[in-house]
Every structure is written in C-alpha cells, then in structure tokens.
Amino acid sequence: MTGNNRTAWNVRSSSVAKRAHNPIRQIVDKLKVDPQAQKSFISLSVGDPTVFGNFNVDQTANDAVTKQLNTFKHNGYSPAHGTVEARDAIARKFSVPEAPINANDIILTNGCSGALEICFSVLCNPGQNILLPRPGFSLYRSLAEVKEVEGRYYDLIPEKNWQVDLEQMETLIDNNTAAILINNPSNPCGSVYPREHLEAILAVAAKHHVPIIADEIYCDLVFKGNTFYPMASLTQDVPILSVGGLAKKWLVPGWRIGWILIQDRHDVFNKEIREGLLNLSQVILGPNSVVQGALDDILHNTPQSFYDETIKQLEHNTNLSLEAVSKIDGLKPVTPQGAMYMMVGIDLDKFKDIESDVDFSSKLVAEENVLCLPGECFDYPNFIRIVITPPAGALTEAYERIAQFCARHRK
C-alpha cells in the first residue's frame, strides 16, 4: 500500500471519459442557430421520427402499455437480460426457418444503442480492430474509441447505392479483427442491400472466420422494389449478433427497448460469448419493465395498416425530396431505398465561397435557418445527410430555402 501525500484537491477526469465523445455533437454545437432569425427553424438533422408529430406509434401499442401499467405487476426490477415472456415474444417475432431462435437466444437492452455497446464489449478487446462502414452512424466510432478498439473503415460506394467495396473491405482484415459491423438498412445512407450483396459480405466473413454485428434497427423500413433480408437468414456458417429495437419500426425511440439476437448455428459463440453477454447485461439493470410486459402485444398485435402507413409516408417524403433536391444545381442526391435518410453530394466546384460540407451546413443554418448534418459527422466529406421524416410542408419549405441558398453562393 502506498502512502498519501496529497495536500490539495486535484480530481481529474478518467481516461475513459476523455476518450468519450459524440462526433455529431462536436460539429453541430459549432453550427450557430440565430435566435433572432426571421425564418422559422427547420431541422433536417434529427433521426427521431416523432419530433414533428406526423409519425406516431399505433394506438394499440399505447393501449398495451396502459394495460400492463394498470396491472401493477411491472413496477419492480426485471431480469437483467429481460423477462422470459418478453424474450419469447421477440424470438417468435424474428425466428425464421433459415435462422431459428428461441428465448434463450435473446438479450434485452436499453435501446438499440445499448445493444451495440454490449456487442462491442463482448467481442472486442483493447488493441483489437473492428470493421465499420464509411459513411456510418457516428456511434460506431464513439464505441470503438471508448473501448480502445481500432476502427477500420470499409468504403460504401454511392454510385452503387452505397454497396460495400468488398475488395477494400477484405484488405482491412487481419488476425486482430474482432468483428465486422453491417448496418442494413443504413443510417445515414438509406440503402437496402440486395440478397446477393449480403451473401457476398457473408462470404468474406466466412473466409476469414470473423463474426458479424448486424445493426438491423431499420428492419422492414424499405421502399417499393426493395426487400429486407435478415443477415442471419442467409448463412449457415457465420455467427451473427443481430441488434434491433422498437425505436424506428414502431416509432418509439423514447421507450428504450432494444435487443440482441444470438444467431449461431454451430455454437461458435459457445458458452463464453453467451455468458459474456449475460454478464454485461447485468452491469446496469434494464430495460423498461412496463414496456417489456407489453412487448408481446406490440410485436404481434400491431395492425399491418400501421406499418403500411409508415412506409407510405416515408416513400412520399422520399419522392418529394428527390424531386426537389435533384433540381438544385450543385447538389446530387443518392436515391434512398429505405430507412429515414437521404445523402446528398455537394459539388464544391459549383460554389464560389463554400469550402466544405461543414461550411455548407454552417452557412445554410445561419442564412436560412435550415439544419442538415454535414457528411463529416459520418466520416464522409462533401455530402450532407437529410432526414426525410418532417411533414411534407416543412420539407418543401426547407428545399425552397436550400435552393435559394445555393443560388446565392453559386459561381
């Protein structure tokens, strides 16, 4: 035991806290919104579909929660990895003949971000590396850096609807690669991968014996002509931790219910990974016990008309967005196939005083009070990401302002 020679207060932040950061917040906090602006503020930046009130949870889900709340049976602590009834409801919802699962293959978490955090923790040691998409959701980078895991970025190709550059991806893999993360449908790209492309990704993982974390939080939010394929349904060999939750498909991000599906035909994850997942789920108890009680009703009794209406509104907003933005000289949208986002390329050569995507976003919000996230938030410069969930009227107004902005700054 060492002695204590401290003579004054000197309380320092931990190294973990110093590594923790949110790239989006670091950039957005520098974009100044003018509180005296003459034009109303329009945010095309927030991935919360509930913000504007035009996307709402189905009444049957609210009723299911109310019913469980009034039983007084869900006010205490639930098992850390979820009640058996909730886990069984998830297993029955997502089990398919090609990838059967049961309640023992489910870990409930505090939202999908909580599921991702546990997956990173169980598969990655400090000093290892994990393959992440570029452009990609900023949380992936944040989780890797906090855990001292090297993020290696595989490229997505905009000209191919953001499909993976498989040759470049394969060059990133070495003996220290802990996992490959695949996000489909994609935030920020709005891409939906066809079956053949997912099978090609799985072939790379199988060849190098690298497990996959499949972020499928936008499952089934796909537009006409596209199909969502759960990755685990396309492989007999590659072990996959699939993550999802209620946030997007059921439009309740604030209810904080996520899950991990352990999909592993040949017991590659074996006792060690399964035990690790359980141990990690017990560090902080959760998730919400009342919503767990309602999960069976939410997953299995929400009417198909709710899902259909969600897709209908998303498709309408997407078509509106594509038509409007495609007409703006200097901007080039990549057609979304699903999810809630559209990436738009900026041709900087067309503008006289726009130096970067961050500069574009900063001047746009200052002059037009419209906020879009710059591509730098997603490790992809010279693009902006547009969230397509605001009401059609707000989108139309935003695009008119963006067109006026571009006209003023064009050469």
Side-chain angles (χ1 to χ4, degrees):
M1 180 180 296
T2 60
N4 177 21
N5 58 2
R6 287 179 286 190
T7 59
W9 289 105
N10 184 23
V11 183
R12 307 296 297 274
S13 172
S14 71
S15 58
V16 172
K18 289 177 180 177
R19 291 194 300 273
H21 74 286
N22 183 329
I24 292 180
R25 287 262 56 90
Q26 288 183 333
I27 294 171
V28 170
D29 288 347
K30 298 175 183 177
L31 305 179
K32 304 300 183 183
V33 176
D34 182 3
Q36 305 301 320
Q38 297 301 306
K39 298 179 180 179
S40 61
F41 177 61
I42 302 177
S43 175
L44 306 181
S45 64
V46 181
D48 180 348
T50 71
V51 168
F52 290 90
N54 53 316
F55 283 96
N56 285 308
V57 63
D58 193 74
Q59 184 60 46
T60 59
N62 275 353
D63 293 342
V65 173
T66 301
K67 181 176 73 174
Q68 295 302 324
L69 190 64
N70 289 330
T71 67
F72 296 93
K73 294 180 179 179
H74 304 287
N75 295 332
Y77 293 123
S78 59
H81 62 309
T83 65
V84 66
E85 294 83 5
R87 289 184 286 115
D88 179 66
I90 294 169
R92 285 185 284 110
K93 179 66 175 179
F94 294 101
S95 185
V96 294
E98 301 84 2
I101 51 176
N102 59 49
N104 293 327
D105 300 313
I106 310 297
I107 301 285
L108 272 140
T109 63
N110 183 20
C112 189
S113 57
L116 285 165
E117 196 276 335
I118 289 177
C119 289
F120 274 58
S121 294
V122 80
L123 292 178
C124 305
N125 282 309
Q128 288 189 291
N129 65 75
I130 184 170
L131 272 53
L132 305 173
R134 180 173 56 204
F137 184 38
S138 62
L139 177 63
Y140 306 149
R141 173 187 285 273
S142 298
L143 287 174
E145 291 180 353
V146 163
K147 298 178 185 305
E148 297 186 291
V149 174
E150 177 193 359
R152 293 187 177 179
Y153 295 88
Y154 61 85
D155 294 329
L156 309 181
I157 306 170
E159 295 80 10
K160 295 184 178 180
N161 286 111
W162 303 108
Q163 290 189 13
V164 176
D165 184 336
L166 293 169
E167 290 186 7
Q168 184 259 352
M169 169 193 269
E170 194 163 8
T171 66
L172 303 176
I173 300 172
D174 61 19
N175 290 333
N176 222 19
T177 301
I180 302 170
L181 189 145
I182 304 295
N183 177 208
N184 178 58
S186 166
N187 173 14
C189 299
S191 55
V192 179
Y193 291 153
R195 180 189 184 108
E196 296 76 16
H197 189 59
L198 290 170
E199 289 174 337
I201 296 170
L202 287 163
V204 173
K207 176 182 175 181
H208 295 279
H209 300 95
V210 180
I212 282 178
I213 300 172
D215 182 352
E216 298 178 339
I217 185 62
Y218 294 94
C219 71
D220 300 323
L221 292 179
V222 300
F223 305 150
K224 190 177 299 182
N226 299 279
T227 302
F228 168 69
Y229 296 96
M231 284 202 83
S233 69
L234 303 178
T235 180
Q236 294 286 326
D237 302 315
V238 180
I240 297 176
L241 296 179
S242 301
V243 300
L246 292 182
K248 307 300 183 179
K249 182 176 177 179
W250 287 270
L251 304 177
V252 284
W255 288 10
R256 308 313 299 143
I257 292 285
W259 49 73
I260 302 169
L261 313 181
I262 308 169
Q263 297 176 306
D264 178 20
R265 298 292 184 81
H266 303 296
D267 204 26
V268 175
F269 285 143
N270 60 55
K271 179 182 178 183
E272 186 169 306
I273 295 298
R274 287 177 177 270
E275 187 174 294
L277 289 166
L278 185 60
N279 291 344
L280 289 164
S281 75
Q282 293 171 340
V283 173
I284 298 177
L285 295 181
N288 187 294
S289 58
V290 176
V291 183
Q292 283 192 65
L295 207 50
D296 196 308
D297 275 340
I298 295 169
L299 295 181
H300 296 280
N301 295 330
T302 298
Q304 183 61 40
S305 58
F306 164 76
Y307 305 120
D308 293 342
E309 181 56 36
T310 299
I311 294 295
K312 180 181 178 181
Q313 189 176 174
L314 285 172
E315 283 197 295
H316 175 76
N317 286 3
T318 295
N319 293 333
L320 182 160
S321 299
L322 279 170
E323 182 178 359
V325 178
S326 295
K327 295 177 181 177
I328 302 174
D329 189 21
L331 300 184
K332 185 178 181 180
V334 181
T335 302
Q337 300 165 305
M340 301 175 173
Y341 312 98
M342 181 171 75
M343 289 287 278
V344 179
I346 307 169
D347 185 350
L348 294 177
D349 292 336
K350 292 284 185 75
F351 297 98
K352 59 189 176 184
D353 54 359
I354 301 293
E355 298 178 357
S356 67
D357 53 293
V358 175
D359 191 34
F360 183 99
S361 296
S362 179
K363 289 176 177 174
L364 177 63
V365 74
E367 297 177 26
E368 296 292 343
N369 223 15
V370 174
L371 179 59
C372 303
L373 289 185
E376 187 174 315
C377 292
F378 311 101
D379 293 302
Y380 211 76
N382 300 336
F383 273 76
I384 56 173
R385 186 196 73 172
I386 290 175
V387 177
I388 58 174
T389 55
L395 288 174
T396 299
E397 171 69 18
Y399 298 143
E400 289 174 355
R401 295 189 203 175
I402 293 173
Q404 294 166 6
F405 170 83
C406 288
R408 284 198 305 273
H409 291 273
R410 199 174 294 118
K411 289 179 179 177

